[in-house]
Amino acid sequence: MRVGRSAFCNCAMNVTFNLASELETALQDAAQTAGLEADALNTEVRTADPRHGDFQANGVLGYAKARKLNPRATAEQIVAALPEDLLARCEVSIAGPGFINFTFGADTLLDWLQKHDTVDHLKSGASAFYQGQRFVVDYSSPNTAKQLHVGHIRSMVIGEAICRMLSFCGAEVTRDNHIGDWGTQFGKLIWGYKNLLDENALQTDALEELERLYKAADAATKEDAATLDAARAELVKLQQGDAENLALWKQIIAISSSAFQKVYDRLDIKFDHEHGESFYRDQLARVYQELEETGLSSESQGALVVFHPEHPRFKTQPFIVRKSDGASNYATTDLATMLYRTEHFKADAIIVLTDTRQSDHFQQLWLTTVKWYAAKNYPLPRFEHVSFGSILGDDGKAIKTRSGDPIRLHALLEEACDRAYTLVSEKSPDIPEEERQEIGRTVGMGAVRYADLSQNRSSDYVFNWEKILSFEGNTAPYLLYAVTRIHSIFRKLDFDPATIETATAAAPETPNEQALARKLVGLAAVLNMTTEQLRPHFLCTYLYELAGAFSSFYSADKVLVEDEAVRARRLLLCARTLLVLETGLHMLGLRTLQRM
RNA sequence: GCACCCGUAGCUCAAUUGGAUAGAGCGCCUGACUACGAAUCAGGAGGUUCGGGGUUCAAGUCCCUGCGGGUGCACCA
């Protein structure tokens, strides 16, 4: 049933960035006006299948059901109470068992496009989502003494994208690289350094030698219990402040951190802090003390542990906060870290990115934190363990080199850029060599990043060069190509898309123009969803669909036509598509290109 | 043994967390460059959403169960 008419309205309208939230407010008010229990109505509006409209509200179904009302009749009551000015801009209909569908008129689409003309304007619209909220995001977090390998990439790439998205949406984001520089591996490494060091190798390639030492020491501790004890003793000495071990430790940190930095630079990742585990070493005593004082911890087999009796598993599976030899571990530093982030950073939310195998640990950490904070009356932040699956090889098992070693990240990125360069050289041999190199780097890095981001992080994924560097489908090259085609149009006209005159442009008309405009307006809803669930693949899917809508429009509706009015309105669409595509890709951590 | 995750087109993946006729890409088939970049676009074929029960206006999604795969479980992180 059609209730409103999409009448044209020439008055200047206050178009909001987030049309869905505008509808939600209107529904809430209408329910009130209609005399319904407005608070009990779920007014959530979601983006709809284009066949049904721009947005749909389904809350009436549940509301009517619970009260034994006719859902369609209830929907009609609400729709009848919607304000006139909304009905003038938006066609509202009731369909099926009681869905309320909303389709905005072309003039509203035009208003939105005119108003959201720069990154800053998009950003100020989006900032309503997380304005004033402090987020601490803990990602990358490698272990010192090991090189970065493929297994580290998801935390970095997904973590960085989440930071950028949240920041775009108004959050105050603190990036913290929680380096593993104080754990058991140092016992092994120091033992190895003292017993197995090859001085020459250390001079030639320090990082390589450290890695060899760690592996050799690790193997030795597995073979011999006495060696394991010796390695543990080295860790205890370090943690107690032994001068020799501290000096060694500092040397090791310096070597590995300079290697990490090279990869971070390459990936455009820059941390605000690198508070590794060692940073918390003098804050651990307080953790032990408060856990004991509040009665949360207990002694078990010589270790200090926390059990959670209400939990099916953690009632017997301990959360070990101090080892029987007195050394701290992951749990101890993580508890201290939690405290530091709440007290020092005053975090409203803490996000930690690690693979899904660490889920137990973070569940125990959180259960413990909740009780601890309650007992001490500390303000409890929101906490999210953003977990992700593993990267698999063609055999379906964790990816490795032929020799069984992990694939080094710098080598992987190098190969991606080389392969992309080769492809660019095939497709665009006329572009100068130096620029092709640069394009290769942008496409290669983008392809690796996008392949990781475009998939739901929860599942494992199979790493495959053909798929990652494929130039078809939901890939970085497809999106980058769409961007370059738009740049190409403006290059032809010889003007900057940011300076386009939009006031004279008319509303989108053809089916492809309208579909593209509607897609653009959907940005707000996608940002909301992707940051709410901390899943960048929603943004990827959106950008892919946007690029697809543009490609269809581009091939159906010629932009550079004689008719000035037609050309103006199509150029506006091009400019805004470019803006949203580039803004979205930058949010994901990709760079974009003028041509490729 | 206990617990968690996963099973969707031949393949790789989506599906706004319970919403309308389950969607894309690859591959296969048919079309479109004397048109702003064909790394593109338009169209076609392809499904008992692992099997079986259940919950309700509505189930790929929730509950129970069976099968298959993965992961974690005392001093690693």
Side-chain angles (χ1 to χ4, degrees), chain A residues 4 56 65 80 116 122 132 172 185 257 270 291 311 316 348 424 439 462 485 503 546 551 582:
Chain A
Q56 62 172 298
K65 176 68 184 170
H116 298 99
L122 288 174
E172 198 179 298
Q185 82 273 20
S257 118
K270 196 166 180 296
L291 289 181
H311 194 279
T316 52
D348 297 300
V424 173
I439 293 169
V462 177
R485 283 213 291 195
L546 176 61
S551 293
E582 289 196 317

Short mmCIF file of all heavy atoms in Angstrom, two decimals, chain A residues 4 56 65 80 116 122 132 172 185 257 270 291 311 316 348 424 439 462 485 503 546 551 582:
data_model
loop_
_atom_site.label_atom_id
_atom_site.label_comp_id
_atom_site.label_asym_id
_atom_site.label_seq_id
_atom_site.Cartn_x
_atom_site.Cartn_y
_atom_site.Cartn_z
N GLY A 4 2.70 7.56 1.08
CA GLY A 4 3.19 8.90 0.75
C GLY A 4 3.43 9.03 -0.74
O GLY A 4 3.45 8.04 -1.46
N GLN A 56 14.38 -0.50 5.15
CA GLN A 56 13.17 -1.17 5.63
C GLN A 56 13.19 -1.27 7.15
O GLN A 56 14.24 -1.35 7.77
CB GLN A 56 13.04 -2.57 5.03
CG GLN A 56 14.16 -3.52 5.37
CD GLN A 56 13.86 -4.94 4.90
OE1 GLN A 56 12.91 -5.57 5.32
NE2 GLN A 56 14.69 -5.44 4.01
N LYS A 65 3.01 -8.94 17.15
CA LYS A 65 2.91 -10.35 17.54
C LYS A 65 2.76 -10.48 19.06
O LYS A 65 1.88 -11.18 19.56
CB LYS A 65 4.18 -11.08 17.07
CG LYS A 65 4.25 -12.52 17.49
CD LYS A 65 3.19 -13.34 16.78
CE LYS A 65 3.21 -14.77 17.30
NZ LYS A 65 2.04 -15.52 16.81
N ALA A 80 0.83 6.49 9.17
CA ALA A 80 -0.08 7.63 9.11
C ALA A 80 0.38 8.76 10.00
O ALA A 80 0.05 9.92 9.77
CB ALA A 80 -1.49 7.18 9.50
N HIS A 116 27.60 16.40 0.79
CA HIS A 116 28.77 15.61 1.20
C HIS A 116 29.82 15.64 0.10
O HIS A 116 29.98 14.67 -0.64
CB HIS A 116 28.33 14.20 1.58
CG HIS A 116 27.40 14.20 2.74
ND1 HIS A 116 26.03 14.10 2.60
CD2 HIS A 116 27.65 14.34 4.06
CE1 HIS A 116 25.48 14.17 3.81
NE2 HIS A 116 26.43 14.32 4.71
N LEU A 122 32.17 14.30 4.95
CA LEU A 122 31.76 12.92 5.22
C LEU A 122 32.12 12.56 6.65
O LEU A 122 31.34 11.97 7.39
CB LEU A 122 32.46 11.95 4.26
CG LEU A 122 32.02 11.95 2.80
CD1 LEU A 122 32.93 11.02 2.00
CD2 LEU A 122 30.57 11.50 2.67
N GLY A 132 33.66 11.39 21.03
CA GLY A 132 33.97 11.44 22.46
C GLY A 132 34.34 10.11 23.09
O GLY A 132 34.56 10.04 24.29
N GLU A 172 38.30 8.51 19.38
CA GLU A 172 39.67 8.91 19.67
C GLU A 172 40.45 7.60 19.82
O GLU A 172 40.23 6.86 20.77
CB GLU A 172 39.65 9.68 20.99
CG GLU A 172 40.85 10.53 21.25
CD GLU A 172 40.67 11.24 22.58
OE1 GLU A 172 39.71 12.03 22.71
OE2 GLU A 172 41.46 10.94 23.49
N GLN A 185 59.92 -16.92 26.09
CA GLN A 185 60.84 -17.07 24.97
C GLN A 185 62.18 -16.40 25.26
O GLN A 185 63.20 -16.79 24.70
CB GLN A 185 60.22 -16.54 23.67
CG GLN A 185 60.30 -15.06 23.46
CD GLN A 185 59.14 -14.31 24.09
OE1 GLN A 185 58.48 -14.83 24.97
NE2 GLN A 185 58.89 -13.10 23.65
N SER A 257 63.45 -4.76 16.82
CA SER A 257 62.52 -3.65 16.60
C SER A 257 62.85 -2.88 15.32
O SER A 257 61.96 -2.39 14.64
CB SER A 257 62.48 -2.76 17.84
OG SER A 257 62.92 -1.49 17.54
N LYS A 270 51.51 3.13 11.82
CA LYS A 270 52.29 3.90 12.76
C LYS A 270 51.61 3.84 14.12
O LYS A 270 50.44 4.21 14.25
CB LYS A 270 52.35 5.36 12.27
CG LYS A 270 53.42 6.18 12.92
CD LYS A 270 53.63 7.49 12.14
CE LYS A 270 54.72 8.35 12.76
NZ LYS A 270 54.39 8.82 14.12
N LEU A 291 44.44 -9.25 43.33
CA LEU A 291 43.72 -10.50 43.10
C LEU A 291 43.65 -11.31 44.39
O LEU A 291 42.64 -11.95 44.68
CB LEU A 291 44.40 -11.32 41.99
CG LEU A 291 44.27 -10.78 40.57
CD1 LEU A 291 44.96 -11.72 39.58
CD2 LEU A 291 42.81 -10.61 40.16
N HIS A 311 31.63 -21.13 35.33
CA HIS A 311 31.88 -21.42 33.93
C HIS A 311 32.14 -22.92 33.72
O HIS A 311 32.87 -23.53 34.49
CB HIS A 311 33.08 -20.62 33.44
CG HIS A 311 33.23 -20.58 31.96
ND1 HIS A 311 33.80 -21.62 31.26
CD2 HIS A 311 32.85 -19.66 31.04
CE1 HIS A 311 33.79 -21.32 29.96
NE2 HIS A 311 33.21 -20.14 29.80
N THR A 316 37.51 -25.53 36.07
CA THR A 316 38.64 -26.44 36.31
C THR A 316 39.88 -26.04 35.54
O THR A 316 40.98 -26.45 35.88
CB THR A 316 38.27 -27.88 35.92
OG1 THR A 316 37.76 -27.86 34.58
CG2 THR A 316 37.24 -28.46 36.86
N ASP A 348 37.38 3.91 26.95
CA ASP A 348 35.98 3.49 27.01
C ASP A 348 35.87 2.09 26.42
O ASP A 348 34.96 1.34 26.75
CB ASP A 348 35.10 4.44 26.20
CG ASP A 348 35.12 5.84 26.78
OD1 ASP A 348 34.74 6.00 27.94
OD2 ASP A 348 35.54 6.77 26.06
N VAL A 424 51.11 -4.88 -14.42
CA VAL A 424 50.95 -3.50 -14.88
C VAL A 424 51.75 -3.29 -16.16
O VAL A 424 51.29 -2.64 -17.10
CB VAL A 424 51.41 -2.50 -13.79
CG1 VAL A 424 51.39 -1.08 -14.33
CG2 VAL A 424 50.53 -2.61 -12.58
N ILE A 439 53.21 1.96 -9.18
CA ILE A 439 51.89 1.35 -9.33
C ILE A 439 51.93 -0.10 -8.85
O ILE A 439 51.02 -0.57 -8.16
CB ILE A 439 51.42 1.41 -10.80
CG1 ILE A 439 51.18 2.87 -11.21
CG2 ILE A 439 50.16 0.59 -11.00
CD1 ILE A 439 50.99 3.07 -12.70
N VAL A 462 42.37 -19.55 2.49
CA VAL A 462 43.44 -20.18 1.74
C VAL A 462 44.19 -19.11 0.97
O VAL A 462 43.62 -18.39 0.17
CB VAL A 462 42.88 -21.24 0.77
CG1 VAL A 462 43.99 -21.85 -0.06
CG2 VAL A 462 42.14 -22.33 1.54
N ARG A 485 39.60 5.08 -13.56
CA ARG A 485 38.73 5.48 -14.68
C ARG A 485 38.05 6.80 -14.40
O ARG A 485 37.84 7.61 -15.30
CB ARG A 485 37.68 4.39 -14.95
CG ARG A 485 38.29 3.21 -15.71
CD ARG A 485 37.30 2.58 -16.63
NE ARG A 485 36.26 1.90 -15.89
CZ ARG A 485 35.41 1.02 -16.43
NH1 ARG A 485 35.50 0.72 -17.72
NH2 ARG A 485 34.51 0.44 -15.71
N ALA A 503 26.22 23.02 -7.75
CA ALA A 503 24.94 23.69 -7.52
C ALA A 503 24.01 23.57 -8.73
O ALA A 503 22.79 23.53 -8.59
CB ALA A 503 25.18 25.15 -7.19
N LEU A 546 29.72 -0.63 -4.87
CA LEU A 546 29.74 0.75 -5.36
C LEU A 546 30.52 0.82 -6.68
O LEU A 546 30.07 1.45 -7.64
CB LEU A 546 30.37 1.67 -4.31
CG LEU A 546 30.55 3.14 -4.71
CD1 LEU A 546 29.20 3.79 -5.02
CD2 LEU A 546 31.26 3.91 -3.60
N SER A 551 30.60 1.07 -12.58
CA SER A 551 30.97 0.47 -13.86
C SER A 551 29.75 0.30 -14.76
O SER A 551 29.83 0.53 -15.97
CB SER A 551 31.65 -0.88 -13.64
OG SER A 551 32.89 -0.70 -13.01
N GLU A 582 37.63 6.46 -2.75
CA GLU A 582 38.96 6.74 -2.22
C GLU A 582 38.95 6.82 -0.69
O GLU A 582 39.82 6.27 -0.02
CB GLU A 582 39.52 8.04 -2.81
CG GLU A 582 39.90 7.87 -4.28
CD GLU A 582 40.79 8.98 -4.82
OE1 GLU A 582 40.52 10.16 -4.51
OE2 GLU A 582 41.76 8.66 -5.55
#
